[in-house]
Amino acid sequence: MGLILVYSISGIALNHINDWNPHYQIEKINYSLVQDTRLSSDEVKALFSIEDNFMAAFDETPTRVKYFFNKNTTVVVDTKLMTAHFERVSRRPFFFWANKLHLNHLKGIWPFIADLFAVILILLAISGLFLVKHRWGITPRAWLFLSLGFLLPLIAQFYVK
Amino acid sequence: MNKILFTIFMMQFVCGNLLAQQFGEKVDRTLVQPISKILENPDQFFEQKLTIEGQIVAVCTKRGCWMDFASDKKFQTFRVKVHDGTMVFPLSAMGKKAYATGELQKIYLPQKLAINYLKHLAEERGEKFDPATVKGAISIYQLAPTGVLIE
């Protein structure tokens, strides 16, 4: 039950990866600068009340500097556009972990657990057909769901480019 | 007690790689080439293994499938890109020093795609973009890594 929920909920989340970020939530703050001089890391920290430690800075262009802080915080200061853009990326609760399981990014023993779960689902699907005996082998309702289950992916393949 | 030890062992076994900063094969630091040198004359680096080093300045937030390395030359970056899922680079890598060993790839973009690509880059940087400045096809270069180490 737990695994089915994890896989199905993260499945929905991952299906819409083009519309949202299923792994991370990104906090963004924009700020307009009043001076066009290069800022020190302390000035950037003060500007956005950042408490995380400064890690490094990278000059993207002569007028654009990217500052890196701990806890996935970055600030891009553009002295030409007179803007400062703050971004803090944090893991989406539940989804980050569930997606990692779903995408099999967890190595170690996890792929084998996922394989075992898949085999159990296959056995459940096949054995479930024969639980209720009928003169046609399986019940008409089972035939309907069985046909639909094969028909939908077959139809879908014509739309796959 | 045994149960606790077993749980700790299993958690480490299952989740241990979450914290690992080594991806794929081991990097070969003897093959390090400056990024600026690679981008200056990329043709001489094809069909051979090479290693790059630098600070990670951007990471793909959706799939963790690419990272941009800062070059030894100012204002220059170089992308390390994997097929989705081969390696998943963590966002926590940003600002850290890293090494990547792999092969150089050339991506040819016809004029229309080049315009789209450069427009996207300009949008990301909040800059204005004039498609008329793109006079023809362009080629971009990236590293397809076999191993990455994030320090």
Side-chain angles (χ1 to χ4, degrees):
Chain A
M1 175 72 177
L3 279 175
I4 290 174
L5 286 176
V6 164
Y7 275 96
S8 52
I9 293 171
S10 65
I12 294 169
L14 292 166
N15 283 345
H16 300 278
I17 197 164
N18 290 331
D19 305 314
W20 77 320
N21 191 323
H23 311 297
Y24 297 101
Q25 46 199 11
I26 305 171
E27 181 193 352
K28 294 179 179 179
I29 304 169
N30 289 314
Y31 188 88
S32 294
L33 299 173
V34 288
Q35 56 181 37
D36 63 357
T37 50
R38 188 186 172 107
L39 301 182
S40 70
S41 60
D42 285 337
E43 285 171 316
V44 174
K45 279 178 87 166
L47 196 63
F48 292 103
S49 308
I50 299 170
E51 288 175 5
D52 311 324
N53 290 334
F54 171 71
M55 288 168 65
F58 170 65
D59 290 51
E60 288 189 330
T61 69
T63 57
R64 191 178 160 95
V65 186
K66 197 170 188 175
Y67 300 81
F68 300 96
F69 298 89
N70 280 345
K71 297 185 184 167
N72 304 328
T73 302
T74 54
V75 176
V76 178
V77 175
D78 195 318
T79 49
K80 188 175 156 195
L81 298 172
M82 301 281 279
T83 57
H85 179 70
F86 166 97
E87 261 190 25
R88 178 174 286 142
V89 184
S90 53
R91 293 174 175 184
R92 244 178 232 290
F94 175 76
F95 285 102
F96 181 84
W97 164 80
N99 295 342
K100 214 156 177 121
L101 297 185
H102 192 129
L103 295 169
N104 226 350
H105 289 164
L106 213 62
K107 306 297 177 195
I109 204 173
W110 185 257
F112 300 103
I113 296 173
D115 286 350
L116 183 67
F117 176 59
V119 169
I120 291 170
L121 280 185
I122 292 167
L123 289 176
L124 267 177
I126 295 170
S127 63
L129 281 173
F130 305 103
L131 276 181
V132 183
K133 286 195 170 57
H134 193 270
R135 61 195 159 96
W136 297 344
I138 61 174
T139 64
R141 198 177 65 161
W143 274 117
L144 174 73
F145 286 128
L146 188 65
S147 314
L148 273 177
F150 280 104
L151 205 61
L152 285 175
L154 278 176
I155 294 169
Q157 73 146 336
F158 293 109
Y159 294 95
V160 177
K161 286 176 186 167
Chain B
M1 185 63 187
N2 282 346
K3 274 185 183 171
I4 295 170
L5 283 174
F6 179 73
T7 309
I8 292 169
F9 171 76
M10 285 305 286
M11 279 179 73
Q12 195 159 358
F13 197 47
V14 173
C15 308
N17 283 355
L18 267 178
L19 304 171
Q21 297 290 292
Q22 169 70 49
F23 301 88
E25 295 168 14
K26 254 187 144 185
V27 295
D28 188 345
R29 295 193 200 201
T30 61
L31 301 175
V32 170
Q33 294 286 351
I35 290 172
S36 60
K37 195 178 159 193
I38 298 168
L39 293 177
E40 206 172 279
N41 191 4
D43 291 340
Q44 76 176 76
F45 293 98
F46 282 116
E47 292 173 0
Q48 59 171 288
K49 276 213 163 178
L50 58 100
T51 299
I52 58 162
E53 65 176 322
Q55 185 192 36
I56 298 167
V57 293
V59 180
C60 169
T61 56
K62 280 200 173 174
R63 293 180 170 92
C65 62
W66 56 259
M67 292 194 295
D68 283 344
F69 278 54
S71 167
D72 49 302
K73 188 178 169 183
K74 259 196 160 187
F75 318 130
Q76 191 176 52
T77 57
F78 187 59
R79 183 160 289 189
V80 169
K81 168 89 174 76
V82 293
H83 286 297
D84 288 358
T86 319
M87 297 176 198
V88 183
F89 303 125
L91 269 178
S92 57
M94 280 224 273
K96 291 181 181 168
K97 191 180 178 183
Y99 296 83
T101 300
E103 284 195 17
L104 191 64
Q105 281 182 335
K106 180 180 184 175
I107 299 169
Y108 173 80
L109 297 177
Q111 191 173 12
K112 200 177 167 189
L113 287 179
I115 290 172
N116 289 342
Y117 171 74
L118 295 170
K119 188 180 165 198
H120 174 71
L121 281 187
E123 277 171 2
E124 268 187 351
R125 294 183 168 188
E127 291 169 356
K128 281 182 185 169
F129 174 71
D130 178 10
T133 55
V134 185
K135 302 291 182 198
I138 60 165
S139 292
I140 54 172
Y141 299 89
Q142 61 186 27
L143 190 84
T146 51
V148 173
L149 176 75
I150 300 168
E151 285 186 342

